[in-house]
Amino acid sequence: MKGKKLLIFLTFFLLTSFIYIDFKLSSFENDVKIEIIKLRIFRYLLVILSGMVLTSSGAVMQVLFKNPLLDPYVLGISGGGLFGFLLSSILFKGNLLISIFFSFFFSVLSALLSLSFSSNIKSDRKVSILISGLLVNILFSSFVILLSMFSKRDITFLFYALMGSFNHVFISKNLFLYISFFVTVILSTVFIIFKSKELDIMSIDEDIASTSGVNVKSNFFLILLIIIYQTSVIVSFVGMVGFVGIIIPNILRMAGILKNRDLILGSFLGGASLILVADFISKYSFSFEIPIGVVLSIFSLPFIFWIVKNNFE
Amino acid sequence: MGKLKNFSFLFLFFISIFLKGQRIISFAPNITETLFYLSYDRYLVGRTSFCNYPPNTDKIEIVGSFIDMDFEKVISLKPDIVFFSGNLTDKSEKFFKEKNINYFDIKMEKIDDVTKGMDSITKIVGKDYDTSKVEKVKNKITGIKKVKKNEKVLIEVSEKPFIIATSSSYIGSILKLFGFEIFEDEKPYINFSYENILSFKPDIVIFMHSFKDGKVKYSILKNFSKVRFVFLDDEKIDIFSRPGPRVIDAIDIIERDFCER
Amino acid sequence: MVNIENLKFSYTKGKEFLKIESLSIKENGIYSIVGENGSGKTTFLKLICKLIGGYEGKIYLFGKDLRMIKEIELAGIISYIPQKIYLHYDFPVYDFIKYGRYSKMDLFGNLTFKDHEDINFLMEKLEIEHLKKRNCFSLSGGEMQLVQLARSIFQGGKILIMDEPFSNIDFRHRKKIIEIIQELKGEKTVLISSHDLGICLNISDIVIGLKKGNIVGIGNKDYMKNELQRIFDTEINFLEDNGKIYFYEGV
């Protein structure tokens, strides 16, 4: 049964991948075909990596905070990351390495901020973490807008950063950096897969996890830190892309995939496929590109509503 | 005979290359207008979705909006020259540098920039062009006659937020040549307030948007009944916001609609 | 095997919640803790499981200071069933039990063949083998308690701590749980907190009475049956028959 589900996901993913790269390719002249394929493959890699990371980190975050409505976007991490990225691109003229470091730093800061906010709100933990994450996100989004006004950067950059876009320009000079970030992100996801048994026990009950031999606190912060790293790298490339991290893991849980290892692997395939489809829509539905965040929010709002309905009875 | 046939084919081939010349993409409506005006439109292979004048632009493929572009389409059109007009983003710059495509940002902000921009475009594209056409624009601009009375003109660009065009803007710089008094500022477009209206006391208000109730807020002026309100239609708004060859039309409109009386 | 010396604990500063001068729990047998709500039963059990830190005094497990014992080592000594677990996400029953031996898992979360045999044996013994393919959300309270018990026994360790294992459990499952506990007493020390005085006194070797964080009585059932009145500050009626004690509310 499990194999069957995986096979369905894999087929869907491969199919969408093929369509994504092959779409209308024959309409291009032969001498530009290579260039087009090159452009598409870079974009494709960025899309699936973001899909994988954002979705799996959403799934993991939902376990860590025991709240099915969380993803890096909701917790304010991506807002902080975007702010850090913008700040460093103003201060250091867009050096990728420094930008991602800044993005990571401010993501950690925003996560700590929303954690401390939520611990001071005397309410249901589920609600308080949502509220504080939202507040932190608004705060950093405002900082982003403020900063962009001072920096005299074109406003379009901001627009696409806040709503997310995969129309990224890769420079061959930075190829080594791209590869190293790609590899570290992949390695960190592999690490999280190895941590899935800890996540399993922590999702059952923290006291049971602790008496079973899991160091709950250190695992919590270690895994959170890794998620923040992944998210900040992705945010530096594509801006804020929300909602995939909420939708896919919840659909997988409904489909009976309950163990975290399967959930994370399923999130890789599901998230990558969903973002591929969304990016395809954003690329081809109009003569100009719509930000991916717009496409995702329009299509995912009914799902979000359904998840809220099921979880806050 | 066969040799001659081959030869003539080769000749035709070279001719066609020469005629085909550069492949140009324009990323700004005013650049598109200028290219058409200078009869460079046969080189034009790509435009933005905002380029809508002259009417036969719609035969040219759209490669992006004013804010973002379709990199795949740009590559597939194999451009030699890409023009921007003040809207070159870091991202686009990075892309064209990476792909070794020549790009130029022809900034055309004030009325003086129109002929300067035309000159630099002809220098970049080269080839044959009608020099008389550039001369015509230059003569039209130098032929502007100042009106005697110093009327204050306020150009409202949008109602919410309340933004006006200053003397540094395109329309402002044209009106200034006519001797109208325009709100002075270094920035072409600035935020305005009700207090500013009271202290500036405009005699003419020009609306460059389609919100017709914009008039109401000027009722705080003492001479409200004497203030002239001019509403521009969409075509005129385009003319007054795109520094390009249609400056000729712009000057005509001002002479006709603003200067008499 | 559990030795407590001068244990003091407070949730808020200056307000002592639990104070135990000396307590010694010996190997094998059933110990139950009785007391009013808020008398510190759960806190006491959590302190032994190292779920709460920040106490004064010493707790020794097999002669070793609890503060020096790491989680992974403690998992081999104590297994714990909390008063109530609130599952946020559904989870397969079999895997739930399997994670009892987390401390013995390899990097990929796999257990040995023998471990899986142990699970099957335990599920059969606790009569829950029909739940093997089910998920936790679909279980009744009694079934879930048996699954938890199976998990704790599978975890191993010499000490089993159960916080109110009989509350909200139907008669059949309660009987089963009592049977299992009595079977375990030969090989484990079972520590139970409960409000069910009948079960506590009849199955326990030692009953510990807690009142406002202090031990006010400790001993076997024959001694403790007369002390209960002092612990609960109210008249307690019971009948004795054939060595068993039956409590009734007296209405």
Side-chain angles (χ1 to χ4, degrees):
Chain A
M1 191 60 193
K2 209 185 279 167
K4 225 180 201 171
K5 275 177 201 163
L6 193 76
L7 205 67
I8 293 170
F9 272 117
L10 202 66
T11 325
F12 185 71
F13 171 66
L14 290 177
L15 198 71
T16 44
S17 304
F18 177 74
I19 293 171
Y20 188 87
I21 294 187
D22 192 58
F23 187 72
K24 278 186 178 171
L25 201 61
S26 53
S27 70
F28 293 108
E29 290 170 44
N30 275 327
D31 51 341
V32 288
K33 231 176 213 168
I34 300 287
E35 277 291 318
I36 300 286
I37 292 175
K38 236 165 82 185
L39 277 178
R40 282 195 183 173
I41 285 184
F42 270 111
R43 185 167 172 155
Y44 169 77
L45 288 176
L46 187 63
V47 167
I48 56 164
L49 190 69
S50 322
M52 281 166 65
V53 164
L54 293 173
T55 315
S56 66
S57 61
V60 172
M61 212 162 240
Q62 286 155 25
V63 171
L64 288 183
F65 291 96
K66 300 189 176 59
N67 187 341
L69 275 177
L70 279 188
D71 76 346
Y73 179 84
V74 177
L75 199 64
I77 293 173
S78 47
L82 190 62
F83 173 74
F85 181 77
L86 197 65
L87 185 69
S88 81
S89 61
I90 288 164
L91 294 178
F92 301 100
K93 302 227 165 84
N95 183 318
L96 191 66
L97 197 65
I98 300 172
S99 297
I100 289 180
F101 175 77
F102 261 65
S103 170
F104 177 62
F105 178 79
F106 279 97
S107 296
V108 173
L109 195 74
S110 59
L112 289 178
L113 212 61
S114 50
L115 281 179
S116 64
F117 274 177
S118 76
S119 62
N120 284 319
I121 300 174
K122 278 195 184 110
S123 161
D124 184 9
R125 271 291 285 152
K126 263 188 193 176
V127 181
S128 65
I129 193 81
L130 275 175
I131 292 171
S132 55
L134 195 71
L135 289 178
V136 171
N137 230 356
I138 291 171
L139 180 76
F140 277 104
S141 300
S142 313
F143 281 161
V144 165
I145 291 169
L146 195 69
L147 207 60
S148 70
M149 286 176 130
F150 284 120
S151 78
K152 287 183 183 169
R153 274 182 84 126
D154 49 283
I155 213 87
T156 65
F157 162 81
L158 179 76
F159 179 65
Y160 280 92
L162 283 172
M163 292 309 287
S165 167
F166 290 102
N167 205 4
H168 188 85
V169 177
F170 290 95
I171 308 176
S172 46
K173 195 182 76 191
N174 278 348
L175 194 67
F176 176 72
L177 269 181
Y178 296 140
I179 292 172
S180 42
F181 280 122
F182 195 87
V183 169
T184 51
V185 168
I186 292 280
L187 282 180
S188 59
T189 49
V190 170
F191 180 80
I192 287 191
I193 293 174
F194 281 125
K195 280 278 170 197
S196 58
K197 57 181 193 293
E198 279 83 358
L199 285 168
D200 274 346
I201 314 185
M202 282 156 77
S203 81
I204 293 170
D205 185 277
E206 272 178 19
D207 285 351
I208 285 182
S210 185
T211 50
S212 299
V214 180
N215 192 331
V216 175
K217 226 174 200 172
S218 70
N219 271 303
F220 178 90
F221 283 108
L222 181 65
I223 294 170
L224 188 63
L225 206 67
I226 288 168
I227 287 174
I228 291 174
Y229 170 72
Q230 296 175 334
T231 313
S232 58
V233 171
I234 294 300
V235 164
S236 307
F237 280 95
V238 303
M240 302 215 296
V241 179
F243 298 128
V244 256
I246 302 177
I247 300 168
I248 294 292
N250 281 294
I251 289 178
L252 291 176
R253 284 198 193 96
M254 291 303 285
I257 296 171
L258 302 173
K259 288 172 72 182
N260 280 294
R261 195 193 56 201
D262 303 341
L263 204 59
I264 292 169
L265 289 174
S267 294
F268 286 169
L269 287 177
S273 313
L274 180 68
I275 297 225
L276 268 181
V277 172
D279 191 41
F280 189 81
I281 293 171
S282 90
K283 224 173 135 182
Y284 296 114
S285 51
F286 294 99
S287 61
F288 50 88
E289 220 169 87
I290 357 172
I292 189 91
V294 174
V295 179
L296 280 172
S297 358
I298 290 170
F299 284 96
S300 54
L301 233 64
F303 278 107
I304 304 281
F305 176 74
W306 175 65
I307 295 162
V308 174
K309 196 173 157 281
N310 280 330
N311 280 287
F312 290 89
E313 283 169 53
Chain B
M1 261 319 255
K3 242 182 194 174
L4 192 67
K5 208 177 175 183
N6 276 350
F7 197 78
S8 58
F9 263 128
L10 207 67
F11 180 73
L12 276 174
F13 179 66
F14 275 117
I15 287 284
S16 66
I17 283 187
F18 180 76
L19 284 179
K20 210 180 167 192
Q22 288 111 318
R23 301 170 65 85
I24 302 172
I25 291 179
S26 159
F27 269 102
N30 60 329
I31 300 278
T32 308
E33 283 178 25
T34 310
L35 291 170
F36 267 91
Y37 181 73
L38 297 170
S39 310
Y40 284 144
D41 51 304
R42 57 208 146 116
Y43 307 132
L44 196 60
V45 291
R47 57 153 179 143
T48 70
S49 53
F50 293 100
C51 302
N52 55 358
Y53 188 89
N56 40 342
T57 29
D58 43 358
K59 284 173 198 146
I60 292 155
E61 215 166 331
I62 296 173
V63 290
S65 60
F66 198 66
I67 47 175
D68 208 22
M69 66 174 79
D70 186 341
F71 292 137
E72 284 180 16
K73 228 171 220 169
V74 170
I75 285 287
S76 73
L77 291 172
K78 293 180 280 184
D80 302 301
I81 300 168
V82 179
F83 281 120
F84 291 89
S85 186
N87 60 335
L88 178 63
T89 59
D90 295 357
K91 198 163 119 180
S92 317
E93 198 168 3
K94 237 161 72 179
F95 178 76
F96 290 116
K97 260 188 195 156
E98 175 69 18
K99 299 293 172 196
N100 277 324
I101 295 168
N102 289 321
Y103 62 92
F104 300 93
D105 193 3
I106 312 288
K107 284 198 174 100
M108 290 159 97
E109 275 163 5
K110 294 188 192 177
I111 185 166
D112 319 340
D113 299 333
V114 174
T115 49
K116 278 184 208 159
M118 281 183 175
D119 285 339
S120 30
I121 289 174
T122 52
K123 256 178 217 152
I124 292 161
V125 184
K127 300 256 164 43
D128 48 330
Y129 68 97
D130 201 347
T131 37
S132 66
K133 281 188 173 171
V134 184
E135 285 307 313
K136 193 181 163 194
V137 174
K138 279 181 184 164
N139 290 337
K140 189 80 187 179
I141 293 171
T142 46
I144 291 174
K145 285 187 196 86
K146 280 204 174 187
V147 253
K148 275 170 196 166
K149 48 183 175 178
N150 271 355
E151 276 184 315
K152 287 183 175 178
V153 180
L154 191 69
I155 311 149
E156 191 178 311
V157 177
S158 87
E159 157 97 12
K160 271 172 193 155
F162 189 15
I163 290 173
I164 62 141
T166 67
S167 57
S168 317
S169 69
Y170 176 58
I171 180 173
S173 66
I174 301 175
L175 286 169
K176 215 177 153 189
L177 277 187
F178 275 95
F180 290 106
E181 204 177 309
I182 317 288
F183 194 86
E184 293 284 335
D185 203 280
E186 283 174 6
K187 288 178 198 156
Y189 301 99
I190 55 164
N191 280 308
F192 219 59
S193 70
Y194 283 49
E195 287 146 44
N196 292 135
I197 294 176
L198 282 175
S199 61
F200 185 66
K201 288 179 205 137
D203 302 303
I204 302 176
V205 179
I206 302 173
F207 293 93
M208 287 186 78
H209 58 81
S210 45
F211 186 66
K212 296 284 181 258
D213 288 340
K215 227 167 123 171
V216 179
K217 61 178 165 297
Y218 295 96
S219 55
I220 49 171
L221 286 170
K222 273 180 188 165
N223 59 341
F224 177 64
S225 55
K226 284 177 194 159
V227 177
R228 270 181 70 199
F229 294 98
V230 182
F231 294 96
L232 300 179
D233 58 20
D234 284 349
E235 200 198 337
K236 279 181 188 164
I237 290 172
D238 280 351
I239 291 174
F240 281 111
S241 56
R242 293 178 185 174
R246 282 201 277 173
V247 68
I248 296 170
D249 301 332
I251 291 168
D252 283 344
I253 290 166
I254 293 171
E255 278 172 353
R256 195 179 64 229
D257 294 356
F258 295 68
C259 297
E260 60 179 328
R261 247 187 29 154
Chain C
M1 96 209 269
V2 182
N3 284 301
I4 293 170
E5 287 171 13
N6 293 322
L7 178 69
K8 277 182 205 165
F9 178 78
S10 47
Y11 283 108
T12 47
K13 248 187 182 171
K15 205 176 165 191
E16 219 160 64
F17 188 76
L18 193 73
K19 189 182 175 191
I20 296 171
E21 266 167 25
S22 140
L23 179 72
S24 159
I25 294 170
K26 301 210 165 53
E27 218 159 312
N28 298 354
I30 301 172
Y31 287 73
S32 52
I33 303 166
V34 295
E36 289 179 332
N37 289 332
S39 60
K41 300 190 297 290
T42 300
T43 307
F44 173 65
L45 294 180
K46 280 190 171 177
L47 277 170
I48 296 176
C49 295
K50 214 185 167 178
L51 289 172
I52 310 177
Y55 55 87
E56 284 174 50
K58 291 266 163 77
I59 300 174
Y60 293 103
L61 289 182
F62 293 99
K64 207 172 172 188
D65 190 346
L66 186 65
R67 288 194 181 91
M68 298 288 138
I69 303 176
K70 283 193 178 137
E71 277 100 344
I72 200 102
E73 201 182 329
L74 193 69
I77 302 170
I78 292 180
S79 53
Y80 171 70
I81 299 176
Q83 189 171 351
K84 194 181 171 189
I85 70 164
Y86 183 65
L87 275 171
H88 294 266
Y89 303 107
D90 206 357
F91 207 70
V93 168
Y94 189 83
D95 292 282
F96 184 91
I97 298 173
K98 196 179 97 179
Y99 275 115
R101 278 193 196 159
Y102 162 80
S103 55
K104 294 186 180 71
M105 277 179 178
D106 67 4
L107 194 59
F108 301 96
N110 292 325
L111 287 171
T112 62
F113 182 68
K114 201 197 152 288
D115 290 323
H116 286 285
E117 272 189 334
D118 286 354
I119 299 178
N120 288 328
F121 173 74
L122 266 170
M123 288 183 92
E124 225 163 278
K125 194 173 148 197
L126 271 66
E127 292 168 9
I128 50 171
E129 71 267 38
H130 60 286
L131 305 176
K132 206 169 174 179
K133 293 237 164 76
R134 298 258 295 271
N135 291 334
C136 292
F137 273 6
S138 67
L139 303 186
S140 71
E143 285 170 336
M144 191 63 209
Q145 195 69 347
L146 277 177
V147 169
Q148 284 224 57
L149 191 58
R151 200 201 79 94
S152 305
I153 298 169
F154 179 63
Q155 187 177 340
K158 290 295 281 179
I159 306 169
L160 171 61
I161 294 178
M162 304 170 88
D163 198 354
E164 300 204 17
F166 312 113
S167 58
N168 297 321
I169 308 288
D170 61 56
F171 191 81
R172 183 164 66 92
H173 289 106
R174 198 189 308 206
K175 203 174 146 200
K176 187 74 202 165
I177 294 169
I178 293 168
E179 269 173 41
I180 300 293
I181 292 173
Q182 277 181 320
E183 264 178 56
L184 285 173
K185 99 186 206 188
E187 47 189 281
K188 280 182 199 287
T189 305
V190 185
L191 225 70
I192 301 168
S193 87
S194 180
H195 289 295
D196 197 318
L197 296 175
I199 299 174
C200 281
L201 261 71
N202 285 324
I203 66 169
S204 304
D205 300 308
I206 301 282
V207 177
I208 300 164
L210 271 183
K211 189 178 178 184
K212 286 174 188 164
N214 293 299
I215 294 179
V216 287
I218 178 164
N220 61 10
K221 74 172 177 194
D222 292 325
Y223 169 70
M224 285 302 282
K225 65 186 179 195
N226 298 317
E227 295 288 309
L228 290 174
Q229 213 134 324
R230 199 156 60 80
I231 297 167
F232 288 98
D233 277 330
T234 182
E235 192 187 336
I236 290 186
N237 305 307
F238 57 86
L239 294 169
E240 277 190 278
D241 178 45
N242 207 6
K244 297 249 187 277
I245 303 174
Y246 304 95
F247 290 89
Y248 61 96
E249 268 74 19
V251 283

